[in-house]
Amino acid sequence: MGMKTVLRFALHVGVLAVWLMLTVVPARAEPPSEYDILRDLGLTLGDRSAIREGEVRTVDLPRLRDDELAVAVVAFLPARLSTMAEAVVELDDPGRRTNGTLVSVNVPIDSTDWQGVALTPPEAEEAARLLQSAPDSAFNLSVDEIARLSAAAGYGETAQGRERGRESVSEAWRAILMDRLRAYANEGLSGVAPYAGGSGVRSPATALRDAFDQIKPVLAGYFPAFVKAVEGFPEAVPGIDHRFFWKKEMVDGRSAFSLRHDVVDCGPASCLIGRRVFFVSHTYDGMQDIVLLLPVREGTMMFRFMRTYTQRVAGPFNGFERRVGQTMMSKSLIEDVEDLRARRVQPVAAAR
């Protein structure tokens, strides 16, 4: 190979390397500043001062869908980033204030993690309703899941017969939840079966994709690994932690089961936690919760973006219901801030 050929080859390699750097490396690899996010939310320096003094600001986010509730909350947490990151990772969703159970589960599926999925004797009415399931708004179930519940042992006239029915429904629920998590773990949102409701088929997967599309422009330049981990799941991304849960709680006076996936990307300069409820048995269709923590002088700034999808606020004439829903969500997020502040164990000022 002649000297000119070698030089020409080296030049081509150099150009290719520069092109790869420009196209692969994010334009802004450093975490955003608090000012960047405040500006994106339409908040001012006056808002920042109030927030740093302890006030909590909420912002109604733009909506793409009429079944969507969307709120951001900004707060100052007077403790180190590492302390608040641990507290936020442990923080349950707003429904935690109801009596309920949250259980971390393994993937691949381990059936021992799911033994607590059951309806108790006081929930016999809910079990009876499930045995008579049909495509309506009472439950979020696929056509196949409705058939499986309908095939469960029915209630008899005796107490023993009713008990067999309740146990049969509990067993069906365990199978449904395990199968849904297994499908999600294998295929991501593509594996999430749609709900067969009375108003038509509804796709929680589509709603959650829409939700992430809304926050992605804010995150992509700063947290490309997190974006890839969420969009490309179940593809593994180094440095990103994935956690899975089932939950049982009371919603509107009825027991509800849900499945959750947390994506955690924490380091010394920032912590980003994404929470996705990709199945819930009734009342709402799904939820996305993104929390960004940034270290600032004497503490941590928290930016939280939540989107929930529910048929209760859908439709052109449900503006009042949406306003009520937005208010309730904002109130719940503010209560979360108070909870996080109460949990702090190492205030920055005291640690210096």
Side-chain angles (χ1 to χ4, degrees), residues 275-317:
R275 179 165 294 150
R276 171 187 282 171
V277 175
F278 59 92
F279 170 77
V280 61
S281 58
H282 63 79
T283 302
Y284 66 103
D285 291 354
M287 184 267 290
Q288 175 184 275
D289 184 10
I290 305 287
V291 180
L292 172 62
L293 301 174
L294 298 175
V296 295
R297 183 178 179 183
E298 298 183 346
T300 302
M301 286 289 286
M302 181 182 79
F303 302 89
R304 189 174 183 183
F305 308 84
M306 181 175 284
R307 292 181 182 273
T308 299
Y309 298 88
T310 172
Q311 292 300 300
R312 293 189 173 188
V313 302
F317 304 108

Side-chain angles (χ1 to χ4, degrees), residues 135-212:
D136 59 26
S137 58
F139 292 101
N140 293 334
L141 295 167
S142 69
V143 172
D144 289 343
E145 290 163 349
I146 292 170
R148 289 167 68 176
L149 282 163
S150 298
Y155 278 84
E157 294 299 326
T158 66
Q160 186 178 14
R162 290 192 294 272
E163 180 64 14
R164 283 199 304 270
R166 184 181 62 80
E167 291 176 354
S168 181
V169 169
S170 296
E171 184 178 346
W173 257 132
R174 283 192 290 274
I176 287 170
L177 293 177
M178 285 191 290
D179 285 350
R180 276 194 173 261
L181 181 56
R182 186 180 291 110
Y184 177 79
N186 290 336
E187 304 176 50
L189 288 177
S190 298
V192 176
Y195 304 142
S199 59
V201 174
R202 307 188 313 281
S203 171
T206 299
L208 291 169
R209 288 192 184 97
D210 289 345
F212 196 69

Side-chain angles (χ1 to χ4, degrees), residues 258-271:
S258 59
L259 297 172
R260 197 177 92 197
H261 173 206
D262 288 4
V263 183
V264 182
D265 181 9
C266 286
S270 64
C271 186

Side-chain angles (χ1 to χ4, degrees), residues 37-345:
I37 307 299
L38 290 169
R39 182 184 62 249
D40 289 343
L41 288 172
L43 297 176
T44 67
L45 291 177
D47 291 314
R48 176 187 177 274
S49 297
I51 291 167
R52 292 297 295 270
E53 291 174 2
E55 294 187 24
V56 180
R57 289 287 190 268
T58 61
V59 178
D60 288 345
L61 297 173
R63 295 183 301 109
L64 288 179
R65 304 160 51 115
D66 65 1
D67 63 344
E68 183 177 41
L69 300 174
V71 174
V73 63
V74 185
F76 174 70
L77 305 172
R80 293 184 182 279
L81 172 65
S82 57
T83 299
M84 298 319 306
E86 181 179 355
V88 170
V89 168
E90 294 176 352
L91 183 70
D92 192 8
D93 58 78
R96 74 187 189 287
R97 299 180 190 89
T98 62
N99 294 327
T101 303
L102 182 72
V103 177
S104 176
V105 297
N106 295 302
V107 172
I109 297 294
D110 181 347
S111 61
T112 58
D113 295 335
W114 302 81
Q115 295 307 306
V117 175
L119 294 174
T120 63
E123 297 167 319
E125 182 177 346
E126 188 75 2
R129 186 182 297 180
L130 277 161
L131 285 169
Q132 301 169 7
S133 293
D136 59 26
S137 58
F139 292 101
N140 293 334
L141 295 167
S142 69
V143 172
D144 289 343
E145 290 163 349
I146 292 170
R148 289 167 68 176
L149 282 163
S150 298
Y155 278 84
E157 294 299 326
T158 66
Q160 186 178 14
R162 290 192 294 272
E163 180 64 14
R164 283 199 304 270
R166 184 181 62 80
E167 291 176 354
S168 181
V169 169
S170 296
E171 184 178 346
W173 257 132
R174 283 192 290 274
I176 287 170
L177 293 177
M178 285 191 290
D179 285 350
R180 276 194 173 261
L181 181 56
R182 186 180 291 110
Y184 177 79
N186 290 336
E187 304 176 50
L189 288 177
S190 298
V192 176
Y195 304 142
S199 59
V201 174
R202 307 188 313 281
S203 171
T206 299
L208 291 169
R209 288 192 184 97
D210 289 345
F212 196 69
D213 284 345
Q214 288 282 74
I215 192 69
K216 180 181 174 180
V218 178
L219 302 176
Y222 303 110
F223 305 101
F226 179 88
V227 170
K228 183 178 180 181
V230 174
E231 288 196 321
F233 179 80
E235 180 184 352
V237 176
I240 305 296
D241 187 22
H242 296 270
R243 306 175 187 190
F244 304 91
F245 305 85
W246 67 261
K247 183 176 182 179
K248 180 185 177 183
E249 62 183 320
M250 297 301 293
V251 178
D252 289 349
R254 295 171 53 199
S255 58
F257 292 100
S258 59
L259 297 172
R260 197 177 92 197
H261 173 206
D262 288 4
V263 183
V264 182
D265 181 9
C266 286
S270 64
C271 186
L272 187 59
I273 301 125
R275 179 165 294 150
R276 171 187 282 171
V277 175
F278 59 92
F279 170 77
V280 61
S281 58
H282 63 79
T283 302
Y284 66 103
D285 291 354
M287 184 267 290
Q288 175 184 275
D289 184 10
I290 305 287
V291 180
L292 172 62
L293 301 174
L294 298 175
V296 295
R297 183 178 179 183
E298 298 183 346
T300 302
M301 286 289 286
M302 181 182 79
F303 302 89
R304 189 174 183 183
F305 308 84
M306 181 175 284
R307 292 181 182 273
T308 299
Y309 298 88
T310 172
Q311 292 300 300
R312 293 189 173 188
V313 302
F317 304 108
N318 284 355
F320 175 76
E321 287 80 0
R322 280 192 290 273
R323 288 194 297 274
V324 171
Q326 290 280 117
T327 300
M328 292 176 64
M329 185 184 292
S330 296
K331 180 181 177 181
S332 182
L333 294 177
I334 292 171
E335 289 174 356
D336 278 348
V337 171
E338 295 169 352
D339 188 3
L340 287 168
R341 286 173 175 167
R343 291 186 186 200
R344 77 183 191 275
V345 294

